[in-house]
């Protein structure tokens, strides 16, 4: 549903007559143009995966990371303008660090999500700032269990079982809904996410992509880390196999 | 006599104790607040509430310990609202410690933070002079605590019941009161566990007597109207 907000879309501090803030909606479009980012909450942790579109053959694999650790127990996967994302991650790291300095314990994931959402929303309130052009999926594991949050450029933050942002988010959400997340372990979740990302990647429109994945679960001792190399390779192999089987039909 | 100086700062000579047991904590304290040698308050309550589930035992300067408690109560209240659930004992103790450490040059107060939360159960944190924070299975503080180190070495054990813990605390405070001039009055205890908070009060005459202590009298009038003692026969 796209419409031109002629005249009402010049500033983030202007409402349109039908109650929309067009600048925020345009910021969301920037997110929709980026590679897909998926997060799921399994029974023993959270897994996040990014379809990192490779723009140049000169790029070193493993660079331009899209998933960042915010604290020992949580990480963020970013979709949209990478530089904006870097700013959000830096802020989140700062919030987590200052919370621990004052309260003496790791920041609860819910609190962290709230603070990030507040910060993103802040940039939608002043005409001299522009909204962040990126959406963020925040996965963490604290004493209340594993949790998954998604923060949009408008500053909205919700808690999810499964979330997807970026180009293939509709297709990804359909696939995620098919999964039985409450019975799945993170090991299984890694394979499933890889399969989904490979499936929704559009070979025609975008050339190469690199799969980047991270998790925080019981197996990783509740620390946020990159998915171990062998498991990642296993997941990629399973995903390619599933694709071939699909093509063979 | 130059020892009665009413302008001395109020100090809680004090004996304070915090003990964990299987399921919660018991906090105990005496009730004497002194100004020099004058007992300004013989029935003070040194165990102060920070939140529904966390209390703090105060020792040292009465003013300093009160102001620290007030600030921490205020911060914890805001924290609870923000978090949407009760604060943990650890967070309360850390806030106390930050104030104690960052203002160490101006403060003279030793505190014992104790409480119960659903994640860690019953916990005791000692925050002595200088602003160290140390999680301990039991903690003692105040001038009267000097006389209790050996006692606890012998009498403390892991996994006590609520009744055992409470009677240990009462016994310990009364021992300290017997030996420390700056501790006295009544024994107050606060027990915190999953079911909530229970406060108890042990007046002087319910406490055991230790070697050569004179039994408590109910009123000065009883002492004054007692018959003259019989002269001793040689």
């Amino acid at each position: 549903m796209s419409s031109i907000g002629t005249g009402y879309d010049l500033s983030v501090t202007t409402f349109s007559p039908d109650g929309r803030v067009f600048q925020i909606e345009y910021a969301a479009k920037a997110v929709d143009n980026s590679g897909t980012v998926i997060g799921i909450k399994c029974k023993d942790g959270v897994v996040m995966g990014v379809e990192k579109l490779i723009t140049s053959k000169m790029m070193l694999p493993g660079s331009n990371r899209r998933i960042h650790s915010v604290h020992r127990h949580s990480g963020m996967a970013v979709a949209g303008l990478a530089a904006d994302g870097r700013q959000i991650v830096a802020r989140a790291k700062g919030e987590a660090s200052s919370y621990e300095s004052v309260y003496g314990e790791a920041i609860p994931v819910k609190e962290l999500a709230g603070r990030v959402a507040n910060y993103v929303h802040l940039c939608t309130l002043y005409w001299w700032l522009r909204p962040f052009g990126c959406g963020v999926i925040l996965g963490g594991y604290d004493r209340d269990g594993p949790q998954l949050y998604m923060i949009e450029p408008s500053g909205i933050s919700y808690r999810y079982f499964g979330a997807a942002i970026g180009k293939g988010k509709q297709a990804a959400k359909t696939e995620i809904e098919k999964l039985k997340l409450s019975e799945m372990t993170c090991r299984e979740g890694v394979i499933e996410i890889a399969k989904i990302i490979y499936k929704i990647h559009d070979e025609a429109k975008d050339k190469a992509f690199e799969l980047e994945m991270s998790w925080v679960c019981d197996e990783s001792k509740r620390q946020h880390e990159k998915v171990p190399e062998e498991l990642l390779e296993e997941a990629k192999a399973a995903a390619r196999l599933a694709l071939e089987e699909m093509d063979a039909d | 006599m130059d020892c009665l100086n009413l302008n001395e700062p109020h100090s809680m000579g004090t004996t304070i104790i915090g003990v964990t047991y299987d399921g919660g904590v018991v906090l105990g304290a005496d009730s004497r607040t002194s100004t020099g040698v004058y007992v300004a308050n013989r029935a003070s309550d040194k165990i102060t509430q920070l939140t529904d589930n966390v209390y703090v035992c105060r020792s040292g300067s009465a003013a300093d310990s009160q102001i620290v408690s007030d600030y921490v109560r205020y911060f914890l209240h805001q924290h609870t609202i923000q978090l949407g659930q009760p604060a943990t004992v650890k967070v309360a103790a850390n806030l106390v410690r930050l104030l104690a450490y960052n203002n160490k040059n101006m403060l003279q107060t030793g505190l014992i933070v104790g409480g119960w939360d659903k994640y860690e159960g019953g916990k005791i944190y000692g925050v002595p002079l200088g602003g160290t924070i140390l999680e301990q299975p039991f903690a003692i503080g105040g001038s009267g605590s000097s006389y209790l180190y050996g006692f606890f070495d012998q009498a403390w054990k892991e996994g006590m019941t609520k009744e055992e813990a409470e009677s240990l605390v009462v016994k310990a405070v009364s021992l300290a009161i017997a030996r420390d001039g700056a501790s006295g009055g009544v024994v107050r205890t606060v027990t915190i566990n999953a079911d909530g908070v229970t406060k108890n009060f042990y007046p002087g005459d319910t406490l055991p007597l230790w070697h050569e202590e004179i039994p408590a009298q109910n009123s000065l009038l009883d002492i004054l109207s007692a018959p003259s003692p019989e002269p001793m026969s040689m």
Side-chain angles (χ1 to χ4, degrees):
Chain A
M1 190 188 74
S2 61
S3 55
I4 311 169
T6 330
Y8 300 111
D9 60 349
L10 297 174
S11 159
V12 79
T13 54
T14 308
F15 276 102
S16 73
D18 53 345
R20 296 155 67 176
V21 183
F22 280 101
Q23 278 297 312
I24 297 180
E25 294 184 20
Y26 296 162
K29 292 218 174 79
V31 180
D32 289 340
N33 288 338
S34 119
T36 315
V37 174
I38 304 180
I40 56 171
K41 174 182 111 69
C42 308
K43 68 178 180 195
D44 64 334
V46 170
V47 184
M48 295 187 287
V50 177
E51 173 203 14
K52 202 165 65 176
L53 298 169
I54 298 178
T55 43
S56 154
K57 288 207 180 78
M58 292 294 185
M59 225 172 76
L60 218 58
S63 64
N64 279 22
R65 287 196 61 79
R66 298 273 293 282
I67 306 184
H68 304 90
S69 277
V70 168
H71 201 52
R72 289 181 299 275
H73 62 13
S74 52
M76 257 181 188
V78 173
L81 301 175
D84 287 13
R86 211 170 32 241
Q87 185 78 335
I88 295 186
V89 169
R91 178 76 186 206
K93 287 179 178 173
E95 293 282 4
S97 174
S98 82
Y99 183 96
E100 184 151 10
S101 301
V102 172
Y103 296 106
E105 56 176 24
I107 186 169
V109 186
K110 179 178 176 188
E111 179 74 18
L112 179 62
R115 292 195 182 194
V116 172
N118 256 341
Y119 179 61
V120 169
H121 176 242
L122 194 73
C123 300
T124 66
L125 293 174
Y126 302 99
W127 61 263
W128 66 79
L129 290 175
R130 67 164 173 81
F132 281 102
C134 59
V136 154
I137 291 187
L138 168 67
Y141 199 153
D142 64 19
R143 62 189 182 204
D144 293 313
Q147 292 154 68
L148 183 71
Y149 290 88
M150 181 164 87
I151 299 123
E152 298 170 23
S154 57
I156 290 178
S157 159
Y158 283 125
R159 190 172 160 185
Y160 292 90
F161 294 110
I165 38 180
K167 275 191 172 89
K169 70 171 187 240
Q170 274 311 114
K173 279 190 210 165
T174 319
E175 292 301 318
I176 293 174
E177 279 167 23
K178 293 181 192 163
L179 302 173
K180 285 216 182 67
L181 292 172
S182 54
E183 292 161 22
M184 199 183 277
T185 64
C186 278
R187 280 221 146 227
E188 294 161 353
V190 169
I191 316 275
E192 291 305 323
I193 288 208
K195 282 190 194 159
I196 294 175
I197 290 189
Y198 269 77
K199 186 169 179 187
I200 60 175
H201 174 70
D202 191 340
E203 272 302 325
K205 287 211 199 120
D206 314 305
K207 307 297 162 22
F209 79 100
E210 192 189 324
L211 178 63
E212 196 179 314
M213 293 193 68
S214 80
W215 68 1
V216 53
C217 55
D218 292 333
E219 205 180 314
S220 75
K221 299 200 181 53
R222 303 197 184 183
Q223 313 272 49
H224 179 255
E225 57 178 37
K226 274 168 40 179
V227 166
E229 206 52 51
E230 349 79 53
L231 182 58
L232 190 58
E233 290 309 317
E234 194 187 316
K236 287 182 186 171
R240 280 186 215 109
L241 195 63
L243 257 186
E244 280 163 22
E245 282 173 7
M246 226 179 57
D247 290 339
D249 287 336
Chain B
M1 287 249 275
D2 57 352
C3 25
L4 186 67
N5 177 12
L6 290 171
N7 295 321
E8 284 273 333
H10 279 34
S11 156
M12 296 173 307
T14 311
T15 307
I16 49 174
I17 300 179
V19 148
T20 59
Y21 70 90
D22 181 27
V25 299
V26 178
L27 303 176
D30 74 306
S31 70
R32 176 170 291 182
T33 307
S34 38
T35 331
V37 297
Y38 173 67
V39 177
N41 186 351
R42 62 181 164 95
S44 18
D45 186 359
K46 303 182 186 180
I47 310 177
T48 308
Q49 180 179 30
L50 295 180
T51 69
D52 289 342
N53 54 315
V54 181
Y55 280 68
V56 63
C57 298
R58 303 179 291 111
S59 78
S61 155
D64 289 354
S65 64
Q66 281 173 13
I67 203 77
V68 169
S69 306
D70 287 348
Y71 271 116
V72 175
R73 192 179 309 120
Y74 168 65
F75 294 137
L76 279 175
H77 184 219
Q78 294 186 314
H79 180 64
T80 305
I81 292 171
Q82 176 72 18
L83 232 53
Q85 57 184 41
T88 58
V89 189
K90 189 173 191 183
V91 163
N94 204 53
L95 290 172
V96 170
R97 169 279 280 255
L98 284 178
L99 283 171
Y101 177 77
N102 289 322
N103 297 294
K104 59 161 77 199
N105 293 330
M106 291 183 285
L107 293 174
Q108 200 179 67
T109 169
L111 302 151
I112 296 179
V113 181
W116 182 95
D117 60 61
K118 71 179 189 211
Y119 299 106
E120 299 279 343
K123 285 285 180 191
I124 293 283
Y125 292 85
V127 183
L129 250 50
T132 322
I133 180 169
L134 188 59
E135 202 242 296
Q136 302 165 278
F138 70 89
I140 54 179
S143 56
S145 68
S146 315
Y147 309 104
L148 296 176
Y149 284 95
F151 171 72
F152 268 90
D153 281 345
Q154 200 230 32
W156 157 263
K157 53 188 200 311
E158 195 74 42
M160 289 185 284
T161 66
K162 181 169 73 144
E163 289 71 29
E164 284 175 332
E166 179 130 5
S167 63
L168 178 68
V169 166
V170 174
K171 187 171 176 186
V173 179
S174 72
L175 278 168
I177 287 175
R179 286 291 179 180
D180 177 31
S183 302
V186 306
V187 178
R188 295 189 195 271
T189 65
V190 172
T191 306
I192 312 171
N193 52 33
D195 304 323
V197 177
T198 318
K199 298 186 193 174
N200 280 321
F201 164 79
Y202 299 85
D205 53 0
T206 63
L207 300 175
L209 291 172
W210 308 106
H211 306 298
E212 289 144 25
E213 277 194 298
I214 304 167
Q217 300 287 348
N218 274 333
S219 124
L220 199 54
L221 294 174
D222 289 344
I223 304 177
L224 291 175
S225 60
S228 314
E230 289 289 326
M232 277 186 350
S233 55
M234 301 292 262

